[in-house]
Short mmCIF file of all heavy atoms in Angstrom, two decimals:
data_model
loop_
_atom_site.label_atom_id
_atom_site.label_comp_id
_atom_site.label_asym_id
_atom_site.label_seq_id
_atom_site.Cartn_x
_atom_site.Cartn_y
_atom_site.Cartn_z
N LEU A 124 -37.94 65.64 -24.56
CA LEU A 124 -38.36 64.55 -25.44
C LEU A 124 -37.48 64.39 -26.68
O LEU A 124 -37.39 63.30 -27.25
CB LEU A 124 -39.81 64.73 -25.87
CG LEU A 124 -40.87 64.62 -24.78
CD1 LEU A 124 -42.24 64.93 -25.33
CD2 LEU A 124 -40.85 63.23 -24.15
N SER A 125 -36.85 65.50 -27.09
CA SER A 125 -36.08 65.46 -28.34
C SER A 125 -34.58 65.61 -28.16
O SER A 125 -33.82 65.45 -29.12
CB SER A 125 -36.58 66.56 -29.28
OG SER A 125 -36.41 67.84 -28.69
N GLY A 126 -34.12 65.95 -26.93
CA GLY A 126 -32.69 66.08 -26.70
C GLY A 126 -32.12 67.40 -27.16
O GLY A 126 -30.89 67.55 -27.23
N THR A 127 -32.95 68.39 -27.47
CA THR A 127 -32.48 69.70 -27.91
C THR A 127 -32.44 70.66 -26.72
O THR A 127 -32.69 70.27 -25.59
CB THR A 127 -33.42 70.24 -29.01
OG1 THR A 127 -34.76 70.26 -28.51
CG2 THR A 127 -33.36 69.36 -30.25
N GLY A 128 -32.11 71.93 -27.02
CA GLY A 128 -32.14 72.96 -25.98
C GLY A 128 -31.13 72.72 -24.87
O GLY A 128 -29.94 72.53 -25.13
N PHE A 129 -31.61 72.71 -23.63
CA PHE A 129 -30.69 72.57 -22.49
C PHE A 129 -30.03 71.19 -22.46
O PHE A 129 -28.91 71.06 -21.94
CB PHE A 129 -31.45 72.84 -21.18
CG PHE A 129 -32.40 71.74 -20.77
CD1 PHE A 129 -32.00 70.75 -19.89
CD2 PHE A 129 -33.70 71.71 -21.26
CE1 PHE A 129 -32.87 69.74 -19.50
CE2 PHE A 129 -34.58 70.71 -20.87
CZ PHE A 129 -34.17 69.72 -20.00
N LEU A 130 -30.67 70.15 -22.98
CA LEU A 130 -30.05 68.82 -22.99
C LEU A 130 -28.91 68.72 -24.00
O LEU A 130 -27.97 67.94 -23.82
CB LEU A 130 -31.10 67.75 -23.31
CG LEU A 130 -31.95 67.23 -22.16
CD1 LEU A 130 -32.92 66.18 -22.65
CD2 LEU A 130 -31.09 66.67 -21.04
N GLU A 131 -28.97 69.52 -25.07
CA GLU A 131 -27.95 69.45 -26.11
C GLU A 131 -26.57 69.86 -25.60
O GLU A 131 -25.55 69.41 -26.11
CB GLU A 131 -28.36 70.35 -27.28
CG GLU A 131 -27.47 70.24 -28.50
CD GLU A 131 -28.01 71.04 -29.67
OE1 GLU A 131 -29.16 71.51 -29.59
OE2 GLU A 131 -27.27 71.20 -30.66
N GLU A 132 -26.54 70.69 -24.57
CA GLU A 132 -25.27 71.18 -24.04
C GLU A 132 -24.75 70.37 -22.86
O GLU A 132 -23.74 70.72 -22.26
CB GLU A 132 -25.44 72.65 -23.62
CG GLU A 132 -25.90 73.55 -24.76
CD GLU A 132 -26.29 74.94 -24.28
OE1 GLU A 132 -25.97 75.25 -23.11
OE2 GLU A 132 -26.91 75.69 -25.04
N THR A 133 -25.44 69.31 -22.49
CA THR A 133 -25.02 68.47 -21.36
C THR A 133 -24.12 67.33 -21.84
O THR A 133 -23.90 67.14 -23.04
CB THR A 133 -26.25 67.90 -20.64
OG1 THR A 133 -26.97 67.05 -21.54
CG2 THR A 133 -27.16 69.02 -20.17
N SER A 134 -23.64 66.54 -20.87
CA SER A 134 -22.77 65.41 -21.21
C SER A 134 -23.52 64.26 -21.84
O SER A 134 -22.91 63.23 -22.12
CB SER A 134 -22.07 64.92 -19.93
OG SER A 134 -23.02 64.58 -18.93
N LEU A 135 -24.81 64.44 -22.09
CA LEU A 135 -25.58 63.38 -22.75
C LEU A 135 -25.15 63.20 -24.19
O LEU A 135 -25.22 62.09 -24.73
CB LEU A 135 -27.08 63.73 -22.68
CG LEU A 135 -28.06 62.78 -23.36
CD1 LEU A 135 -28.00 61.38 -22.74
CD2 LEU A 135 -29.49 63.33 -23.27
N PHE A 136 -24.64 64.28 -24.83
CA PHE A 136 -24.36 64.22 -26.26
C PHE A 136 -22.89 64.48 -26.56
O PHE A 136 -22.14 65.04 -25.74
CB PHE A 136 -25.24 65.21 -27.02
CG PHE A 136 -26.70 64.84 -26.99
CD1 PHE A 136 -27.60 65.59 -26.26
CD2 PHE A 136 -27.17 63.74 -27.69
CE1 PHE A 136 -28.94 65.26 -26.22
CE2 PHE A 136 -28.51 63.40 -27.66
CZ PHE A 136 -29.40 64.15 -26.93
N TYR A 137 -22.52 64.13 -27.78
CA TYR A 137 -21.14 64.18 -28.26
C TYR A 137 -20.55 65.59 -28.20
O TYR A 137 -19.37 65.76 -27.88
CB TYR A 137 -21.14 63.65 -29.70
CG TYR A 137 -19.87 63.82 -30.48
CD1 TYR A 137 -18.92 62.80 -30.51
CD2 TYR A 137 -19.63 64.97 -31.23
CE1 TYR A 137 -17.76 62.93 -31.26
CE2 TYR A 137 -18.48 65.11 -31.97
CZ TYR A 137 -17.54 64.10 -31.98
OH TYR A 137 -16.41 64.23 -32.72
N GLY A 138 -21.36 66.62 -28.52
CA GLY A 138 -20.83 67.98 -28.61
C GLY A 138 -20.32 68.54 -27.30
O GLY A 138 -19.57 69.54 -27.30
N HIS A 139 -20.69 67.94 -26.17
CA HIS A 139 -20.24 68.42 -24.87
C HIS A 139 -18.76 68.15 -24.64
O HIS A 139 -18.11 68.85 -23.85
CB HIS A 139 -21.07 67.76 -23.77
CG HIS A 139 -20.65 68.12 -22.38
ND1 HIS A 139 -20.98 69.34 -21.79
CD2 HIS A 139 -19.91 67.45 -21.44
CE1 HIS A 139 -20.49 69.38 -20.58
NE2 HIS A 139 -19.84 68.26 -20.35
N TYR A 140 -18.19 67.17 -25.34
CA TYR A 140 -16.81 66.71 -25.07
C TYR A 140 -15.83 67.38 -26.01
O TYR A 140 -14.99 66.72 -26.64
CB TYR A 140 -16.75 65.20 -25.21
CG TYR A 140 -17.73 64.48 -24.30
CD1 TYR A 140 -19.01 64.16 -24.76
CD2 TYR A 140 -17.41 64.16 -23.00
CE1 TYR A 140 -19.93 63.52 -23.92
CE2 TYR A 140 -18.31 63.53 -22.17
CZ TYR A 140 -19.57 63.22 -22.64
OH TYR A 140 -20.48 62.60 -21.81
N THR A 141 -15.89 68.72 -26.12
CA THR A 141 -14.96 69.46 -26.98
C THR A 141 -13.69 69.74 -26.18
O THR A 141 -13.40 70.90 -25.81
CB THR A 141 -15.62 70.75 -27.50
OG1 THR A 141 -16.91 70.42 -28.02
CG2 THR A 141 -14.80 71.38 -28.62
N ILE A 142 -12.96 68.71 -25.89
CA ILE A 142 -11.76 68.79 -25.05
C ILE A 142 -10.69 67.90 -25.70
O ILE A 142 -10.98 66.80 -26.17
CB ILE A 142 -12.05 68.29 -23.62
CG1 ILE A 142 -13.18 69.10 -22.98
CG2 ILE A 142 -10.80 68.37 -22.76
CD1 ILE A 142 -13.71 68.51 -21.71
N ASP A 143 -9.46 68.39 -25.71
CA ASP A 143 -8.37 67.61 -26.30
C ASP A 143 -7.77 66.63 -25.30
O ASP A 143 -7.15 65.64 -25.70
CB ASP A 143 -7.27 68.57 -26.80
CG ASP A 143 -6.29 67.86 -27.72
OD1 ASP A 143 -6.75 67.03 -28.53
OD2 ASP A 143 -5.08 68.12 -27.61
N GLY A 144 -7.94 66.89 -24.00
CA GLY A 144 -7.40 65.98 -23.01
C GLY A 144 -7.54 66.55 -21.61
O GLY A 144 -8.05 67.66 -21.41
N VAL A 145 -7.07 65.78 -20.64
CA VAL A 145 -7.06 66.19 -19.25
C VAL A 145 -5.62 66.07 -18.75
O VAL A 145 -5.03 64.99 -18.81
CB VAL A 145 -8.01 65.32 -18.40
CG1 VAL A 145 -7.93 65.74 -16.93
CG2 VAL A 145 -9.44 65.43 -18.91
N LYS A 146 -5.07 67.17 -18.28
CA LYS A 146 -3.67 67.19 -17.84
C LYS A 146 -3.59 66.95 -16.35
O LYS A 146 -4.02 67.77 -15.54
CB LYS A 146 -3.04 68.54 -18.20
CG LYS A 146 -1.55 68.58 -17.95
CD LYS A 146 -0.93 69.86 -18.48
CE LYS A 146 0.58 69.86 -18.28
NZ LYS A 146 1.20 71.11 -18.78
N PHE A 147 -3.03 65.80 -15.98
CA PHE A 147 -2.77 65.48 -14.59
C PHE A 147 -1.32 65.89 -14.25
O PHE A 147 -0.61 66.45 -15.09
CB PHE A 147 -3.00 64.00 -14.32
CG PHE A 147 -4.45 63.59 -14.44
CD1 PHE A 147 -4.96 63.11 -15.63
CD2 PHE A 147 -5.32 63.70 -13.36
CE1 PHE A 147 -6.29 62.74 -15.75
CE2 PHE A 147 -6.65 63.34 -13.46
CZ PHE A 147 -7.14 62.86 -14.67
N GLN A 148 -0.88 65.57 -13.06
CA GLN A 148 0.45 65.99 -12.64
C GLN A 148 1.56 65.32 -13.46
O GLN A 148 2.53 65.97 -13.86
CB GLN A 148 0.65 65.68 -11.16
CG GLN A 148 -0.17 66.58 -10.23
CD GLN A 148 0.10 66.29 -8.78
OE1 GLN A 148 0.72 65.27 -8.43
NE2 GLN A 148 -0.35 67.19 -7.89
N ASN A 149 1.40 64.01 -13.73
CA ASN A 149 2.50 63.27 -14.36
C ASN A 149 2.24 62.91 -15.82
O ASN A 149 3.15 62.45 -16.51
CB ASN A 149 2.77 61.97 -13.58
CG ASN A 149 3.17 62.25 -12.15
OD1 ASN A 149 3.87 63.22 -11.88
ND2 ASN A 149 2.72 61.41 -11.23
N PHE A 150 1.03 63.10 -16.29
CA PHE A 150 0.73 62.72 -17.68
C PHE A 150 -0.50 63.50 -18.15
O PHE A 150 -1.21 64.12 -17.36
CB PHE A 150 0.48 61.22 -17.78
CG PHE A 150 -0.79 60.75 -17.09
CD1 PHE A 150 -1.97 60.56 -17.80
CD2 PHE A 150 -0.81 60.54 -15.71
CE1 PHE A 150 -3.12 60.16 -17.17
CE2 PHE A 150 -1.97 60.13 -15.07
CZ PHE A 150 -3.13 59.93 -15.80
N THR A 151 -0.73 63.42 -19.46
CA THR A 151 -1.89 64.04 -20.09
C THR A 151 -2.79 62.95 -20.64
O THR A 151 -2.35 62.12 -21.44
CB THR A 151 -1.48 65.01 -21.21
OG1 THR A 151 -0.64 66.03 -20.68
CG2 THR A 151 -2.69 65.64 -21.87
N TYR A 152 -4.02 62.96 -20.20
CA TYR A 152 -4.99 61.95 -20.62
C TYR A 152 -5.56 62.32 -21.99
O TYR A 152 -6.15 63.41 -22.16
CB TYR A 152 -6.11 61.85 -19.58
CG TYR A 152 -7.05 60.69 -19.79
CD1 TYR A 152 -6.69 59.40 -19.42
CD2 TYR A 152 -8.30 60.89 -20.36
CE1 TYR A 152 -7.56 58.33 -19.61
CE2 TYR A 152 -9.18 59.84 -20.53
CZ TYR A 152 -8.80 58.56 -20.17
OH TYR A 152 -9.66 57.51 -20.36
N ASP A 153 -5.35 61.47 -22.98
CA ASP A 153 -5.78 61.72 -24.35
C ASP A 153 -7.26 61.38 -24.48
O ASP A 153 -7.63 60.21 -24.65
CB ASP A 153 -4.94 60.89 -25.32
CG ASP A 153 -5.11 61.35 -26.76
OD1 ASP A 153 -6.08 62.09 -27.03
OD2 ASP A 153 -4.29 60.97 -27.62
N LEU A 154 -8.13 62.38 -24.41
CA LEU A 154 -9.58 62.12 -24.45
C LEU A 154 -10.06 61.62 -25.82
O LEU A 154 -10.89 60.71 -25.85
CB LEU A 154 -10.33 63.38 -24.04
CG LEU A 154 -11.84 63.18 -23.89
CD1 LEU A 154 -12.15 62.27 -22.71
CD2 LEU A 154 -12.56 64.50 -23.74
N PRO A 155 -9.60 62.18 -26.96
CA PRO A 155 -10.05 61.62 -28.25
C PRO A 155 -9.75 60.13 -28.39
O PRO A 155 -10.60 59.35 -28.85
CB PRO A 155 -9.30 62.45 -29.28
CG PRO A 155 -9.02 63.74 -28.59
CD PRO A 155 -8.79 63.39 -27.16
N LEU A 156 -8.55 59.72 -27.98
CA LEU A 156 -8.19 58.30 -28.06
C LEU A 156 -9.06 57.48 -27.11
O LEU A 156 -9.55 56.40 -27.49
CB LEU A 156 -6.71 58.12 -27.71
CG LEU A 156 -6.17 56.68 -27.75
CD1 LEU A 156 -6.27 56.11 -29.15
CD2 LEU A 156 -4.74 56.64 -27.24
N ALA A 157 -9.29 57.96 -25.90
CA ALA A 157 -10.12 57.23 -24.94
C ALA A 157 -11.56 57.13 -25.44
O ALA A 157 -12.22 56.09 -25.25
CB ALA A 157 -10.08 57.93 -23.58
N TYR A 158 -12.05 58.20 -26.08
CA TYR A 158 -13.41 58.18 -26.61
C TYR A 158 -13.57 57.09 -27.66
O TYR A 158 -14.56 56.33 -27.66
CB TYR A 158 -13.74 59.55 -27.20
CG TYR A 158 -15.20 59.84 -27.37
CD1 TYR A 158 -15.90 60.60 -26.46
CD2 TYR A 158 -15.91 59.35 -28.47
CE1 TYR A 158 -17.25 60.87 -26.59
CE2 TYR A 158 -17.26 59.61 -28.63
CZ TYR A 158 -17.92 60.37 -27.69
OH TYR A 158 -19.26 60.62 -27.85
N LEU A 159 -12.63 57.00 -28.58
CA LEU A 159 -12.70 55.98 -29.63
C LEU A 159 -12.49 54.58 -29.07
O LEU A 159 -13.18 53.62 -29.47
CB LEU A 159 -11.66 56.28 -30.72
CG LEU A 159 -11.65 55.33 -31.91
CD1 LEU A 159 -12.99 55.29 -32.61
CD2 LEU A 159 -10.55 55.73 -32.90
N ILE A 160 -11.55 54.45 -28.11
CA ILE A 160 -11.29 53.13 -27.52
C ILE A 160 -12.53 52.63 -26.75
O ILE A 160 -12.83 51.43 -26.77
CB ILE A 160 -10.05 53.20 -26.60
CG1 ILE A 160 -8.78 53.30 -27.45
CG2 ILE A 160 -9.97 51.98 -25.70
CD1 ILE A 160 -7.51 53.45 -26.65
N SER A 161 -13.24 53.54 -26.09
CA SER A 161 -14.45 53.11 -25.37
C SER A 161 -15.49 52.55 -26.34
O SER A 161 -16.17 51.56 -26.03
CB SER A 161 -15.03 54.29 -24.59
OG SER A 161 -15.53 55.29 -25.47
N THR A 162 -15.61 53.14 -27.52
CA THR A 162 -16.55 52.63 -28.53
C THR A 162 -16.12 51.25 -29.01
O THR A 162 -16.95 50.32 -29.08
CB THR A 162 -16.62 53.60 -29.72
OG1 THR A 162 -16.99 54.89 -29.26
CG2 THR A 162 -17.62 53.11 -30.75
N ILE A 163 -14.84 51.10 -29.33
CA ILE A 163 -14.35 49.79 -29.78
C ILE A 163 -14.49 48.76 -28.67
O ILE A 163 -14.85 47.59 -28.91
CB ILE A 163 -12.88 49.91 -30.23
CG1 ILE A 163 -12.77 50.87 -31.43
CG2 ILE A 163 -12.30 48.55 -30.60
CD1 ILE A 163 -11.34 51.20 -31.82
N ALA A 164 -14.25 49.19 -27.42
CA ALA A 164 -14.31 48.25 -26.29
C ALA A 164 -15.72 47.73 -26.07
O ALA A 164 -15.93 46.52 -25.88
CB ALA A 164 -13.78 48.93 -25.02
N TYR A 165 -16.74 48.62 -26.09
CA TYR A 165 -18.09 48.12 -25.81
C TYR A 165 -18.62 47.28 -26.96
O TYR A 165 -19.41 46.35 -26.74
CB TYR A 165 -19.02 49.28 -25.41
CG TYR A 165 -19.61 50.11 -26.53
CD1 TYR A 165 -20.60 49.62 -27.37
CD2 TYR A 165 -19.24 51.45 -26.67
CE1 TYR A 165 -21.15 50.41 -28.35
CE2 TYR A 165 -19.80 52.24 -27.65
CZ TYR A 165 -20.76 51.72 -28.50
OH TYR A 165 -21.31 52.52 -29.46
N LEU A 166 -18.22 47.58 -28.20
CA LEU A 166 -18.63 46.72 -29.31
C LEU A 166 -17.97 45.34 -29.23
O LEU A 166 -18.62 44.31 -29.44
CB LEU A 166 -18.28 47.40 -30.64
CG LEU A 166 -19.10 48.65 -31.00
CD1 LEU A 166 -18.56 49.28 -32.27
CD2 LEU A 166 -20.57 48.30 -31.17
N ALA A 167 -16.67 45.32 -28.90
CA ALA A 167 -15.97 44.04 -28.78
C ALA A 167 -16.50 43.22 -27.61
O ALA A 167 -16.69 42.01 -27.73
CB ALA A 167 -14.46 44.29 -28.61
N LEU A 168 -16.77 43.89 -26.48
CA LEU A 168 -17.32 43.18 -25.33
C LEU A 168 -18.69 42.59 -25.66
O LEU A 168 -18.98 41.44 -25.33
CB LEU A 168 -17.44 44.14 -24.15
CG LEU A 168 -18.20 43.59 -22.94
CD1 LEU A 168 -17.34 42.57 -22.20
CD2 LEU A 168 -18.63 44.68 -21.99
N SER A 169 -19.54 43.36 -26.33
CA SER A 169 -20.86 42.87 -26.71
C SER A 169 -20.75 41.65 -27.62
O SER A 169 -21.45 40.66 -27.45
CB SER A 169 -21.66 43.98 -27.40
OG SER A 169 -21.79 45.11 -26.57
N LEU A 170 -19.84 41.73 -28.58
CA LEU A 170 -19.66 40.61 -29.51
C LEU A 170 -19.20 39.35 -28.78
O LEU A 170 -19.76 38.26 -28.97
CB LEU A 170 -18.64 41.00 -30.59
CG LEU A 170 -18.31 39.93 -31.63
CD1 LEU A 170 -19.54 39.55 -32.45
CD2 LEU A 170 -17.19 40.40 -32.55
N LEU A 171 -18.18 39.48 -27.93
CA LEU A 171 -17.65 38.31 -27.22
C LEU A 171 -18.69 37.73 -26.26
O LEU A 171 -18.83 36.49 -26.17
CB LEU A 171 -16.39 38.70 -26.46
CG LEU A 171 -15.18 39.09 -27.32
CD1 LEU A 171 -14.03 39.57 -26.45
CD2 LEU A 171 -14.73 37.92 -28.18
N TRP A 172 -19.41 38.57 -25.57
CA TRP A 172 -20.41 38.10 -24.59
C TRP A 172 -21.54 37.37 -25.30
O TRP A 172 -21.99 36.31 -24.86
CB TRP A 172 -20.93 39.28 -23.79
CG TRP A 172 -21.52 38.90 -22.46
CD1 TRP A 172 -21.87 37.64 -22.04
CD2 TRP A 172 -21.83 39.77 -21.37
NE1 TRP A 172 -22.38 37.68 -20.77
CE2 TRP A 172 -22.36 38.97 -20.34
CE3 TRP A 172 -21.71 41.14 -21.17
CZ2 TRP A 172 -22.78 39.51 -19.12
CZ3 TRP A 172 -22.11 41.68 -19.96
CH2 TRP A 172 -22.63 40.87 -18.95
N ILE A 173 -22.01 37.94 -26.41
CA ILE A 173 -23.11 37.30 -27.14
C ILE A 173 -22.65 35.98 -27.74
O ILE A 173 -23.38 34.98 -27.70
CB ILE A 173 -23.64 38.25 -28.23
CG1 ILE A 173 -24.29 39.47 -27.59
CG2 ILE A 173 -24.65 37.54 -29.13
CD1 ILE A 173 -24.64 40.56 -28.58
N VAL A 174 -21.44 35.96 -28.32
CA VAL A 174 -20.93 34.72 -28.91
C VAL A 174 -20.76 33.65 -27.84
O VAL A 174 -21.09 32.47 -28.06
CB VAL A 174 -19.60 35.00 -29.65
CG1 VAL A 174 -18.92 33.70 -30.03
CG2 VAL A 174 -19.86 35.82 -30.90
N LYS A 175 -20.26 34.03 -26.66
CA LYS A 175 -20.08 33.06 -25.58
C LYS A 175 -21.42 32.44 -25.18
O LYS A 175 -21.54 31.22 -25.06
CB LYS A 175 -19.43 33.74 -24.38
CG LYS A 175 -19.21 32.82 -23.18
CD LYS A 175 -18.56 33.57 -22.04
CE LYS A 175 -18.37 32.67 -20.82
NZ LYS A 175 -19.67 32.20 -20.26
N ARG A 176 -22.43 33.28 -24.97
CA ARG A 176 -23.75 32.75 -24.60
C ARG A 176 -24.37 31.96 -25.74
O ARG A 176 -25.09 30.98 -25.51
CB ARG A 176 -24.66 33.90 -24.18
CG ARG A 176 -24.29 34.51 -22.83
CD ARG A 176 -25.22 35.67 -22.51
NE ARG A 176 -26.60 35.22 -22.32
CZ ARG A 176 -27.16 34.95 -21.16
NH1 ARG A 176 -26.45 35.08 -20.04
NH2 ARG A 176 -28.41 34.58 -21.08
N SER A 177 -24.12 32.37 -26.98
CA SER A 177 -24.66 31.64 -28.12
C SER A 177 -24.06 30.25 -28.23
O SER A 177 -24.77 29.28 -28.55
CB SER A 177 -24.39 32.42 -29.41
OG SER A 177 -25.00 33.68 -29.38
N VAL A 178 -22.76 30.14 -27.97
CA VAL A 178 -22.11 28.82 -28.02
C VAL A 178 -22.69 27.90 -26.97
O VAL A 178 -22.94 26.71 -27.22
CB VAL A 178 -20.58 28.98 -27.85
CG1 VAL A 178 -19.92 27.64 -27.63
CG2 VAL A 178 -19.98 29.67 -29.07
N GLU A 179 -22.91 28.43 -25.76
CA GLU A 179 -23.52 27.61 -24.72
C GLU A 179 -24.93 27.16 -25.11
O GLU A 179 -25.30 25.99 -24.94
CB GLU A 179 -23.58 28.40 -23.40
CG GLU A 179 -22.21 28.72 -22.83
CD GLU A 179 -22.30 29.64 -21.62
OE1 GLU A 179 -23.43 30.08 -21.30
OE2 GLU A 179 -21.26 29.93 -21.01
N GLY A 180 -25.71 28.07 -25.67
CA GLY A 180 -27.04 27.70 -26.12
C GLY A 180 -27.02 26.74 -27.30
O GLY A 180 -27.88 25.86 -27.42
N PHE A 181 -26.01 26.89 -28.17
CA PHE A 181 -25.92 25.99 -29.32
C PHE A 181 -25.60 24.57 -28.89
O PHE A 181 -26.08 23.60 -29.47
CB PHE A 181 -24.84 26.51 -30.28
CG PHE A 181 -24.66 25.65 -31.50
CD1 PHE A 181 -25.61 25.65 -32.51
CD2 PHE A 181 -23.55 24.84 -31.64
CE1 PHE A 181 -25.45 24.87 -33.63
CE2 PHE A 181 -23.38 24.05 -32.76
CZ PHE A 181 -24.34 24.06 -33.76
N LYS A 182 -24.76 24.44 -27.85
CA LYS A 182 -24.46 23.10 -27.35
C LYS A 182 -25.72 22.40 -26.84
O LYS A 182 -25.99 21.25 -27.15
CB LYS A 182 -23.41 23.18 -26.22
CG LYS A 182 -22.02 23.58 -26.68
CD LYS A 182 -21.09 23.70 -25.48
CE LYS A 182 -19.70 24.13 -25.90
NZ LYS A 182 -18.80 24.30 -24.72
N ILE A 183 -26.50 23.15 -26.02
CA ILE A 183 -27.75 22.58 -25.48
C ILE A 183 -28.71 22.26 -26.61
O ILE A 183 -29.35 21.20 -26.64
CB ILE A 183 -28.38 23.55 -24.48
CG1 ILE A 183 -27.43 23.78 -23.30
CG2 ILE A 183 -29.72 23.05 -23.98
CD1 ILE A 183 -27.88 24.86 -22.34
N ASN A 184 -28.80 23.15 -27.59
CA ASN A 184 -29.71 22.95 -28.71
C ASN A 184 -29.29 21.74 -29.53
O ASN A 184 -30.12 20.95 -29.99
CB ASN A 184 -29.70 24.21 -29.59
CG ASN A 184 -30.79 24.18 -30.64
OD1 ASN A 184 -31.74 23.42 -30.52
ND2 ASN A 184 -30.65 25.00 -31.65
#
Side-chain angles (χ1 to χ4, degrees):
L124 293 176
S125 60
T127 55
F129 73 94
L130 277 181
E131 187 174 350
E132 302 170 12
T133 63
S134 56
L135 178 61
F136 293 110
Y137 171 93
H139 177 77
Y140 304 92
T141 311
I142 302 168
D143 194 39
V145 177
K146 188 173 183 181
F147 292 93
Q148 289 183 347
N149 299 324
F150 68 97
T151 300
Y152 189 77
D153 193 344
L154 186 68
L156 180 63
Y158 199 99
L159 182 57
I160 287 177
S161 67
T162 304
I163 298 172
Y165 81 72
L166 291 174
L168 171 74
S169 302
L170 179 63
L171 294 175
W172 202 346
I173 294 171
V174 168
K175 179 180 179 297
R176 288 179 65 96
S177 300
V178 169
E179 294 173 356
F181 180 73
K182 289 177 182 178
I183 298 173
N184 190 18

